Amino acid sequence: MADMKILPAGDRALVAEFSDVISEDVNRRVNALKRALLAENIAGVREMIPTYRSLLVEYDPAVIALPALTERVRAADPGDVPATAEQRRVLTIPCCYGGKYGEDLKDMAAITGLSEEEIIAIHSATEYRVYMLGFLPGFVYLGGLDERIAAPRLKTPRTSIPAGSVGIGGNQTGVYPMASPGGWRLIGATPVAFYDPAREKPALCEAGDYIRFVPVSPEEYERLRKEGGAV
Amino acid sequence: MSLIVKNPGPLTTVQDAGRFGHQSEGIRPAGVMDTAAFAAANRLVGNAGDEAVLEMTFLGATLTFSADTWFALTGAAMPATLDGAPVERYTPVKAAAGQTLACGLAASGCRGYLAVRGGIDMPLVMGSRSTDRSARLGGFEGRALKAGDELPTRPDDGWTPTPLRCAPPVYTGAIEVRAIPGPQDDYFTAAGLETFFSTPYEVSTDSDRMGVRLEGAAVESVRGTDIVSDGIVFGSVQVPSGGKPIVLMADHQTTGGYAKIATVLSLDLPLLAQARPGDTVRFRRITAEEAQALYITR
């Protein structure tokens, strides 16, 4: 088990850092530490941001100072967390692949040397871990993309990509939670809202979740979209 | 009761203390850049909480009051008039229904604040009225104000100001801020850290609410500054591959992939919020323990 480093991030935040690599083992520990600290409900702790390999804790130093909080965080460190110890929440995400829903699927076939059907089969066969959220509201950083369908980003990013677009950029896959410029290759679209400011929890996912894409027909996509895109 | 925007200036937004509690969902805090001028503005009009204000950038807005309203101007030295008569900053002023407040070009500082008694009454979105332009969220339709916008305000509650005033701060253009090394100071060489903490930097014209970008001596890293993304706070100083530091400000993303050499002391961030292109910035090293002692006795 690697040591946890406690690093100051200014006078009102600290970072509990476990590693500088991306791995499920490390991310499980981050997630478990976040849960442990949430359960302790420490006075003065304002907010936590879990990332791939660290947990940022924002706090009020007038309520709890760095040495005292450091002690609490060290005491809450779960150490190594076996995969079996984590409750796995898997969200199934309907995805309509190709055509006008995923304009780059054709090019993806040329890049990877696979057929469109093979790409769809590979992309929808994995349970992707949500390592963290960031960049945009509800944007999930997913791990686990099969190397066979990795592809470089577009040379010229699109100026606007509609919300719900499912893309591949390098060795990452993900979903645009809101209309945004972007350089990922679009392979499909989901009717599920990954971000909805009107929900109590605006982001669909939280770090530690898994998501699995399920291919649906254009008819099914349109029907689900009319129903409001609930999972 | 409302404030009617006649001319918004280049960038005027509704802001409060910021949107907290949703950063783990990728939702950035936004909020005012200059927390000191914000607090002063609310205090001057007797607002108990962190009520929403207008943040104006370089050139102030022109607005008409639909009802009698107490207001106060703080932050950047924007000369202002009420129906043509000069208005003092850092003091409560009462506008009569129909009067027009015109805020001019900042003589010093960068961001001016207008607070009204009771606050700008936009709906709360996730607990905040701050404008997040990137997510088109909060404030007035999630965007900068335009001519013709009508901002709801609260009715006159009969409040009268105490004779208390506060002295406007002086913005000199030679800024010194204290900064706590880390969390990734180990990505930089001893020479790089020495450069960062000893040489003056110049505020770039590319600076905005996301970050104060600095020009000057490149900060030497050990082997590049790409990191596996981790969390960001208001005041994180990230150093991209070119070695030029960027102090991340109110509109910072929640996570980022560049090494952060230091974090600016929260008490000193208002100085950077008022930085203008061409101003100089020096960083002075301070420990987290010293910083927290200052924070508690502030």
Side-chain angles (χ1 to χ4, degrees):
Chain A
M1 183 179 91
D3 280 349
M4 172 169 66
K5 282 194 227 166
I6 304 269
L7 309 165
D11 54 344
R12 296 180 298 181
L14 64 76
V15 177
E17 187 184 279
F18 296 113
S19 165
D20 55 4
V21 298
I22 299 173
S23 92
E24 289 215 12
D25 294 345
V26 170
N27 194 243
R28 273 200 303 276
R29 196 165 160 200
V30 171
N31 207 29
L33 177 64
K34 186 193 91 174
R35 281 170 199 279
L37 290 173
L38 271 180
E40 288 196 30
N41 199 14
I42 300 169
V45 169
R46 188 163 72 163
E47 178 153 22
M48 291 187 267
I49 310 178
T51 68
Y52 281 112
R53 44 57 179 256
S54 64
L55 182 68
L56 183 118
V57 182
E58 291 192 7
Y59 63 98
D60 181 352
V63 179
I64 187 163
L66 181 60
L69 185 56
T70 299
E71 226 167 89
R72 297 290 294 270
V73 173
R74 286 210 182 281
D77 177 15
D80 288 337
V81 181
T84 48
E86 198 180 53
Q87 276 205 345
R88 184 181 272 226
R89 183 171 82 138
V90 184
L91 304 170
T92 50
I93 304 299
C95 178
C96 183
Y97 287 95
K100 68 170 181 173
Y101 299 94
E103 291 178 10
D104 299 327
L105 187 61
K106 259 194 199 131
D107 293 344
M108 281 287 297
I111 292 165
T112 60
L114 300 165
S115 69
E116 292 187 23
E117 292 70 26
E118 285 169 323
I119 293 170
I120 295 168
I122 293 169
H123 189 258
S124 58
T126 302
E127 284 182 359
Y128 300 101
R129 182 179 177 88
V130 176
Y131 278 95
M132 60 183 238
L133 285 86
F135 171 53
L136 289 171
F139 184 88
V140 288
Y141 287 87
L142 300 176
L145 183 71
D146 192 304
E147 279 176 16
R148 288 174 291 169
I149 55 171
R153 293 166 194 225
L154 296 173
K155 283 206 180 77
T156 311
R158 289 184 170 88
T159 53
S160 183
I161 291 174
S165 298
V166 177
I168 286 176
N171 57 4
Q172 286 186 292
T173 184
V175 180
Y176 284 91
M178 57 193 296
S180 144
W184 286 14
R185 293 178 193 270
L186 307 182
I187 59 168
T190 176
V192 173
F194 272 61
Y195 165 69
D196 177 356
R199 283 194 299 238
E200 194 190 334
K201 266 183 59 55
L204 178 73
C205 306
E206 59 180 293
D209 287 344
Y210 284 80
I211 73 173
R212 186 192 182 104
F213 295 98
V214 177
V216 295
S217 65
E219 295 72 30
E220 183 72 357
Y221 170 92
E222 297 298 342
R223 189 183 66 77
L224 289 168
R225 213 168 69 114
K226 279 195 196 87
E227 286 174 5
V231 180
Chain B
M1 267 62 54
S2 60
L3 261 178
I4 300 141
V5 180
K6 298 292 175 192
N7 183 341
L11 175 61
T12 298
T13 54
V14 176
Q15 301 291 348
D16 62 12
R19 184 169 287 110
F20 293 95
H22 295 278
Q23 292 188 77
S24 63
E25 298 177 72
I27 295 162
R28 59 187 76 189
V32 289
M33 289 281 278
D34 183 342
T35 50
F38 167 67
N42 268 324
R43 206 163 50 234
L44 286 164
V45 293
N47 289 340
D50 292 332
E51 297 292 349
V53 301
L54 295 188
E55 180 180 281
M56 307 177 281
T57 316
F58 278 117
L59 177 61
T62 301
L63 312 127
T64 299
F65 295 90
S66 81
D68 294 3
T69 309
W70 282 102
F71 70 91
L73 289 167
T74 65
M78 294 175 176
T81 58
L82 187 63
D83 275 2
V87 169
E88 241 186 292
R89 293 159 58 236
Y90 283 85
T91 191
V93 179
K94 192 165 195 181
Q99 284 195 306
T100 295
L101 174 70
C103 304
L105 188 66
S108 68
C110 179
R111 294 182 170 88
Y113 293 87
L114 168 65
V116 296
R117 172 73 187 159
I120 308 284
D121 194 15
M122 302 308 303
L124 283 167
V125 179
M126 297 175 220
S128 167
R129 298 183 171 87
S130 287
T131 309
D132 177 346
R133 287 154 72 223
S134 69
R136 297 182 289 279
L137 193 71
F140 193 93
E141 298 175 0
R143 60 166 170 79
L145 298 181
K146 292 180 186 166
D149 289 346
E150 270 192 55
L151 310 169
T153 56
R154 297 203 175 89
D156 188 356
D157 59 359
W159 175 81
T160 52
T162 54
L164 194 96
R165 287 178 41 182
C166 41
V170 177
Y171 306 115
T172 64
I175 296 166
E176 185 179 287
V177 295
R178 291 160 289 186
I180 300 145
Q184 282 99 28
D185 47 322
D186 58 340
Y187 271 67
F188 301 90
T189 63
L193 281 158
E194 176 67 19
T195 303
F196 178 73
F197 281 112
S198 66
T199 60
Y201 285 91
E202 189 177 306
V203 176
S204 149
T205 50
D206 297 338
S207 300
D208 58 18
R209 281 183 43 89
M210 267 181 83
V212 173
R213 292 169 179 267
L214 299 170
E215 295 291 342
V219 178
E220 186 185 63
S221 65
V222 178
R223 52 181 174 279
T225 60
D226 282 2
I227 60 167
V228 173
S229 287
D230 79 341
I232 286 174
V233 297
F234 189 170
S236 293
V237 186
Q238 69 176 22
V239 182
S241 56
K244 309 287 173 67
I246 302 171
V247 186
L248 296 164
M249 302 294 283
D251 274 353
H252 67 82
Q253 294 189 3
T254 55
T255 59
Y258 293 118
K260 294 171 285 293
I261 189 170
T263 314
V264 174
L265 184 74
S266 54
L267 295 174
D268 291 349
L269 288 169
L271 299 171
L272 290 173
Q274 296 294 350
R276 298 157 68 105
D279 284 359
T280 58
V281 176
R282 283 174 184 275
F283 296 94
R284 193 157 66 74
R285 190 192 296 246
I286 184 173
T287 67
E289 289 73 20
E290 289 167 333
Q292 294 199 332
L294 289 167
Y295 182 88
I296 290 160
T297 58
R298 73 191 186 278

